[in-house]
Amino acid sequence: MQKITKNVYAETGFRGCNPGFVVTTEGVVMIDTPQMPADAIKWRDEIARFGPVHYLINTEPHGDHFTGNFFFGGTVVAHEGTRDAVLAASVEQLKERFKQMDPQSLPLLEGYSYRPPTVTFSQRMTLYVGRHTFQLINFPGHTPYQIAVVIPEERVMFTSDNVFGRVQAWLQQALPYEWLESLKRMQQLDVDILIPGHGSICNRSYLSEMSAFIQAWIDAVSKAI
């Protein structure tokens, strides 16, 4: 677990997404959850040292960001498209995947169920928790329902999978032209630190490198056509 600022923490070593959390005067606000059950339980025990979970924000509709919701408390918040994805997810298919990925974790899934968001939005939402502000903004790209979480007081943005910090990016559900536009909009935000959906922590200057990667794929496909 990395301490990013005085109140922001993130984990880049789990298999799956980079989950994080912010410590406020009214409790903890989580951003995404670990994919692997053992990691989720470990993360839950770490977070408990800082207080109860008040909100849990899921930043996208892929399972590596919301599978761990089951192991945590708090009100779950996400884009309405992410809620649809969670409601459509199959517990039986999840268990089949874990038989291949991590069979030792199957006992931890006893009684498991997906926890869908109970608060959703389409474009923007702001949460005020203690002395912190959480700006949730829809930035279509990696998926249509991608959101970033901006914490102005910490000058930090959780970018979700619109940014992969110097690791392989995935475009299987992507809107590449919208993705480029979203990265431009992100560059206009007044933040210093980016916590990407995967990979290493970076700063705002990395957004141009991420844009170049997406543009390279667009050019490659255009050339092939």
Side-chain angles (χ1 to χ4, degrees):
M1 181 172 70
Q2 300 181 50
K3 186 173 184 178
I4 309 302
T5 68
K6 180 181 178 181
N7 299 296
V8 178
Y9 297 79
E11 176 58 65
T12 62
F14 288 151
R15 181 176 180 178
C17 77
N18 293 338
F21 65 92
V22 182
V23 181
T24 82
T25 56
E26 292 184 2
V28 171
V29 175
M30 293 181 58
I31 294 88
D32 290 323
T33 58
Q35 177 183 22
M36 311 304 287
D39 290 339
I41 291 172
K42 178 182 177 181
W43 191 238
R44 181 185 65 193
D45 293 342
E46 286 286 333
I47 291 175
R49 299 188 294 113
F50 297 91
V53 176
H54 197 52
Y55 288 103
L56 195 173
I57 302 169
N58 291 140
T59 62
E60 65 152 81
H62 290 158
D64 60 318
H65 292 252
F66 64 72
T67 297
N69 288 8
F70 172 78
F71 298 98
F72 298 91
T75 300
V76 184
V77 182
H79 191 282
E80 56 194 23
T82 295
R83 175 178 166 82
D84 292 339
V86 177
L87 290 174
S90 165
V91 173
E92 291 307 313
Q93 289 181 3
L94 177 70
K95 290 180 178 180
E96 287 299 318
R97 285 200 299 274
F98 276 114
K99 284 181 182 179
Q100 304 297 323
M101 295 168 56
D102 185 18
Q104 294 181 342
S105 69
L106 287 174
L108 300 177
L109 293 175
E110 186 69 31
Y112 179 88
S113 62
Y114 283 106
R115 278 192 71 203
T118 54
V119 177
T120 64
F121 66 100
S122 61
Q123 297 299 320
R124 296 180 70 103
M125 170 181 281
T126 302
L127 299 175
Y128 299 96
V129 188
R131 301 188 185 97
H132 282 85
T133 308
F134 296 83
Q135 298 170 350
L136 283 56
I137 308 168
N138 176 223
F139 284 118
H142 177 69
T143 73
Y145 314 118
Q146 219 66 26
I147 69 169
V149 181
V150 179
I151 305 102
E153 294 83 1
E154 305 290 338
R155 299 187 64 80
V156 168
M157 173 167 56
F158 287 82
T159 69
S160 191
D161 288 11
N162 275 338
V163 177
F164 287 72
R166 295 184 173 85
V167 295
Q168 174 67 47
W170 298 92
L171 288 78
Q172 72 272 28
Q173 196 181 353
L175 303 171
Y177 293 104
E178 288 88 339
W179 197 337
L180 289 175
E181 183 60 32
S182 289
L183 291 170
K184 289 179 183 178
R185 290 169 57 203
M186 285 182 174
Q187 287 180 328
Q188 298 171 3
L189 297 173
D190 189 18
V191 296
D192 297 323
I193 302 171
L194 306 185
I195 301 174
H198 298 265
S200 56
I201 308 300
C202 51
N203 57 41
R204 197 168 45 175
S205 66
Y206 182 72
L207 292 172
S208 60
E209 187 173 335
M210 189 69 212
S211 295
F213 177 85
I214 303 303
Q215 187 63 56
W217 273 105
I218 292 173
D219 294 345
V221 172
S222 298
K223 183 178 179 180
I225 292 172

